[in-house]
Amino acid sequence: MTTTNQALKQWIEEVTALTQPDTVHWCDGSDAEYGSLIKTMVADGTMEELDQKKWPNCYYHRSDPQDVARVEHLTFICSEKEEDAGPNNNWADPEEMKDKLKGLFDGCMKGRTMYVVPYCMGPISSPHSKIGVEVTDSAYVAANMKIMTRMGTQALEKLGDSTDFVKGLHSIGELDPERRYICHFPETREIMSFGSGYGGNALLGKKCHALRIASVQARDEGWMAEHMLILGLTSPEGEKHYVCAAFPSACGKTNLAMIIPPAEYKGWKAECVGDDIAWLRYGEDGRLWAINPEAGFFGVAPGTGAKTNPGALESLKTNSIFTNVAVTDDKQPWWEGLTDEPPAHATDWRGNDWTPASDKPAAHPNSRFTAPAKQCPIASPEMEAAEGVPISAFIFGGRRATTAPLVYQAFDWNHGVYVGAMAASETTAAATGAVGVVRRDPMAMKPFCGYNFGDYFQHWIEMGAKSDKAPKIFHVNWFRKGDDGKFLWPGFGQNMRVLDWILKRCVDAGDAVETPIGYVPADGALNLSGTNVDADTMAKLMDVNPDEWKTELAGEKEYLESYGDDMPKEMWDQYKALAERLQGVKA
Ligand code: GTP
Ligand code: SPV
Ligand code: MN
């Protein structure tokens, strides 16, 4: 396999000269190629074969224990000007960073195979899809890219002789956390990632391309690249809506994207278009249309079980890769929450003996499954639609034990942008560092926006001004806790009740009352029949606590100030209006 594309050929020659691999393999994306990649990895111990009867074509990978999550402190946006990266990103001078990286990449693939992985983000047929080429010395990365993207010949053919592709250079290096950098060069649409083989650090089509580089391209070209799931919902009457939801990493996107409505919602149909990333642009009808740039799920394993997410479970039964979960003695993958009864014995994610008496989890909290999206039992046929699907609502959210009520609706677009921009969430195991610390995570994009958040909020404001058919905006919080430290809301399938109210609001139905922070469901407007959520719990879930919001408001002000002149005036207007409305709240 090779190409007539001169720009691509020349770049591959350059990186080959730099990294000096023993062999160069151009990935064609075929099943046969996937099979031989797996075979090589099983032979060298990179992959372990799982029980092929129960788990056909499924394999297991244990990554280096120091390489199990995204590394935000080692992720850089190397824009020409520092202010373009903004306070939300680590910045480094592009020339200096490239010099440093060239030192690391110099000869790093000696004795290794270099895989050239052409991929397409978005349906092959879509004019809105984008091509990238990842060069990597990891067969594990190449195999994952086959599941996660439209990879190989089809991508090369779509590229043709065009120079419009993202160049991603990746090497696992020595997996040394001290020699690890995930770098983005937004102006030249390049990515250079060294020293990690895991997830968003290494599968460059995902967060590096489809969010960090694409967000910059989207701003330049008038569209949006967002950390959002895409879900279709059809009522028994046949009315169909699509919603997008932006929740931070490990805060429920994959789960909501595959929601199974509860018994009270008989006749409703949920369809999954995407579980992590949405690219959105206006259609000729003035509505915002979304495509899912990905072709697979790289989902959080722990907590994924028959009761919480049967759709995900069905998706990952075959043709999937499991990373850092546990393995049972009869070679089945296992993680906390997969079954009610844990296995009596397993090998944990570090390769150690594990029993239910162990004081450590068997699976790493950020262990993942890589599964083809089309295997999802509720996969929408629109996953392949060139123009995507029209979006009725944007839902922002986070993981917050306090402050944020179960659901509220923004008064209008700019208020909604403010609500999204001020979203805060407890950190999770999806990135290295402390877990459970509340931080601002605007639009769930804190780790993923390739430019200054001030400019990003401005772009959002401008996108809303383009059409009077822009989506309605909501905020949800499935994670509010009671005094006993337990979640107040049952979550998962029961989230359908909140979606139901949201959809009603999209067609100007659904009773609401105005509060200082937005519209909330009027008494009885949220269908709770069949749940054990009583009036007292509901009051706690919906409470807008004056003390908490005073603290919140102070935090929001501080955040806005930290962006100086880059923060749009509209955001300050929203802050002032909120502060004024909250004045009226009785303490
Ligand atoms: P990324 O892939 O990192 O972007 O994560 P995600 O946003 O797709 O999160 P995911 O759906 O995988 O959920 C992460 C964790 O949150 C899992 O352990 C879930 O079981 C849990 N979770 C998801 N939805 C809910 C919910 O409604 N309530 C509660 N309590 N937990 C939930
Ligand atoms: C996330 O952290 O939001 C993920 C996993 O979806 S990763 O691909 O590692 O970014
Ligand atoms: Mn994600």
Side-chain angles (χ1 to χ4, degrees), residues 70 206-207 227 229 247-257 275-276 298-305 308-309 336 365-366 368-369 399 428 430 448 478-479 487 489-495:
R70 285 183 293 97
K206 197 173 177 58
K207 299 297 162 71
H227 191 203
L229 67 90
F247 308 151
S249 303
C251 291
K253 288 182 302 302
T254 300
N255 277 270
L256 194 67
D275 83 321
D276 198 51
F298 186 64
V300 177
T304 306
T308 56
N309 196 348
E336 281 71 16
N366 191 39
R368 301 255 168 180
F369 56 84
R399 189 183 275 273
T428 66
F448 308 122
W478 314 141
F479 300 94
F487 294 125
W489 179 247
F492 302 102
Q494 305 300 332
N495 295 335

Side-chain angles (χ1 to χ4, degrees), residues 89-335:
N89 283 302
N90 301 314
W91 177 83
D93 177 82
E95 290 305 314
E96 283 170 25
M97 186 51 99
K98 272 194 182 163
D99 277 349
K100 182 171 355 197
L101 287 165
K102 275 187 183 145
L104 295 173
F105 277 102
D106 192 2
C108 72
M109 295 191 194
K110 274 183 195 155
R112 300 180 184 175
T113 298
M114 178 171 111
Y115 299 94
V116 180
V117 184
Y119 61 87
C120 177
M121 298 313 287
I124 291 287
S125 65
S126 175
H128 313 308
S129 297
K130 303 276 179 194
I131 302 294
V133 180
E134 174 165 0
V135 168
T136 177
D137 54 8
S138 162
Y140 167 81
V141 165
N144 273 273
M145 288 293 284
K146 148 101 171 153
I147 300 175
M148 294 304 297
T149 70
R150 284 97 172 157
M151 191 267 261
T153 310
Q154 53 183 337
L156 265 193
E157 280 172 0
K158 186 170 167 83
L159 176 65
D161 287 327
S162 167
T163 56
D164 184 11
F165 63 96
V166 170
K167 296 174 179 146
L169 178 56
H170 171 251
S171 171
I172 56 173
E174 311 84 36
L175 294 174
D176 176 358
E178 301 297 317
R179 284 159 54 87
R180 184 173 290 165
Y181 290 97
I182 321 298
C183 299
H184 308 73
F185 303 87
E187 284 97 355
T188 52
R189 318 277 197 238
E190 286 171 286
I191 305 157
M192 292 173 88
S193 165
F194 190 88
S196 166
Y198 198 71
N201 298 334
L203 311 176
L204 301 187
K206 197 173 177 58
K207 299 297 162 71
C208 299
H209 179 164
L211 287 178
R212 298 197 191 97
I213 297 288
S215 61
V216 173
Q217 204 167 4
R219 177 207 49 196
D220 295 348
E221 298 170 2
W223 50 283
M224 305 166 95
E226 301 298 332
H227 191 203
M228 289 177 172
L229 67 90
I230 312 166
L231 167 69
L233 291 163
T234 312
S235 72
E237 294 76 36
E239 197 175 319
K240 186 163 198 173
H241 286 278
Y242 293 92
V243 301
C244 278
F247 308 151
S249 303
C251 291
K253 288 182 302 302
T254 300
N255 277 270
L256 194 67
M258 295 172 202
I259 191 166
I260 308 279
E264 292 74 20
Y265 282 83
K266 201 165 170 274
W268 281 79
K269 188 173 168 191
E271 289 169 282
C272 172
V273 181
D275 83 321
D276 198 51
I277 301 178
W279 285 358
L280 301 118
R281 64 180 73 225
Y282 280 110
E284 278 165 16
D285 60 357
R287 304 182 72 187
L288 209 45
W289 290 66
I291 62 166
N292 170 12
E294 302 190 277
F297 307 128
F298 186 64
V300 177
T304 306
K307 284 199 201 96
T308 56
N309 196 348
L313 224 47
E314 198 58 40
S315 313
L316 55 73
K317 271 187 172 165
T318 56
N319 309 312
S320 296
I321 297 171
F322 298 88
T323 305
N324 294 341
V325 301
V327 181
T328 63
D329 297 348
D330 57 352
K331 297 284 172 222
Q332 301 201 57
W334 191 81
W335 52 81

